[in-house]
Amino acid sequence: MKTFLVKFSACLMSFFFMICLVYYSNLYTYLLPNRGVYKALTDSKKKNNKARALIIGDSVGGQLFDPMNNDSSSVVSLACNQAIDLVGHYILLANSLQENEQIEKVYFVYNPFSFRNNLDHEFTYNYFLKPFNIPEYRNLFTPNTLKQIESVPFHKFSNLPPVAITFWTPEIKKETETQVFMSQISSEYLQKMINLTSSKGIEFKVISPPIRTSRKKEVEHLYRVAMAEKTTERFSQLFDNYFKDMLFLPDAEYIDPIHLNYPQKHVAIMLETYFDADKQIAVSN
């Protein structure tokens, strides 16, 4: 019995040692499916003296504009995933502008069907809580955000080492109404983005990634919903241009409902449509 207890204790200690090693070395941030979010967070804190334009946004934005991230580029892309919601994208923006005061333009690339996100979906735990629900960023959370975080099961455990180093997620009861365009939390953080960039004299633009042609009627309906919602009244001009400039591509260009099969094929038309007046972006490509 004594030998068994000694062996069991040794195994238990080794197990906890490995957990701590993976956690405190940040090794898990390079291995888990949410690694792109951790990378964006790390990159958001980097100084880039040549950067004049910043791109934030979802994974399609990451597909299209990730190649811009090189030492000679005047454009920095932190586009990573819609699953971090506008709260996460605002934090990436705030980090980057704090380190790069010379930024002149910010482009937010975001799918029109993602503005309804309200930190209440299946990816919230791994993509938002684990990277962002830490003391460093809690002062950036609105009361609505804090309330929503507290409604997520096991939210207090999201950054404990045994949980943080895995991709385990609790079942989250989705509250987002599919017939709305923008959630309250999205509205709050879009306004924060506008206020932050405006206070620094930075041009801010919201643009859509290319949308499948088969979803055009959905988008038309969503536009009508958006224009009728009180949460988007103060953003009406911003979204009028957002929908008006939206690009539609054949379904054959997609590997799933939103992601492009060969994104590099479409970079040129995105630049021409959205960034033509921005010479530094044109030159960087």
Side-chain angles (χ1 to χ4, degrees), residues 16 97 100 140 261:
F16 281 109
L97 294 187
N100 298 280
L140 300 177
N261 204 356

Side-chain angles (χ1 to χ4, degrees), residues 167-180:
F167 209 62
W168 175 81
T169 183
E171 184 177 349
I172 297 176
K173 183 180 178 181
K174 190 171 179 62
E175 298 176 359
T176 295
E177 171 56 56
T178 58
Q179 295 304 311
V180 303

Side-chain angles (χ1 to χ4, degrees), residues 7 10 19 53 56-57 101 131-133 153 187 254 281:
K7 289 182 177 180
I19 288 177
I56 56 175
E101 296 181 353
F132 295 102
N133 188 30
S187 177
Y254 290 81
I281 291 186

Side-chain angles (χ1 to χ4, degrees), residues 252-270:
E253 298 292 339
Y254 290 81
I255 56 176
D256 60 29
I258 62 171
H259 293 99
L260 293 161
N261 204 356
Y262 300 103
Q264 64 275 14
K265 286 174 52 179
H266 310 292
V267 173
I269 191 170
M270 289 290 288

Side-chain angles (χ1 to χ4, degrees), residues 74-145:
S74 60
V75 183
V76 173
S77 175
L78 299 176
C80 55
N81 203 296
Q82 59 85 18
I84 66 175
D85 289 20
L86 266 70
V87 189
H89 292 296
Y90 171 75
I91 291 172
L92 295 180
L93 173 64
N95 282 351
S96 189
L97 294 187
Q98 183 174 347
E99 294 297 323
N100 298 280
E101 296 181 353
Q102 78 286 351
I103 292 289
E104 300 169 359
K105 300 186 179 184
V106 171
Y107 299 93
F108 182 34
V109 183
Y110 210 58
N111 190 288
F113 300 99
S114 298
F115 285 98
R116 62 173 65 119
N117 287 355
N118 205 46
L119 297 178
D120 60 354
H121 47 80
E122 60 182 311
F123 302 110
T124 295
Y125 201 82
N126 281 292
Y127 285 83
F128 177 76
L129 287 188
K130 290 182 180 180
F132 295 102
N133 188 30
I134 59 177
E136 181 179 358
Y137 300 126
R138 285 192 189 124
N139 65 314
L140 300 177
F141 294 163
T142 63
N144 283 322
T145 301

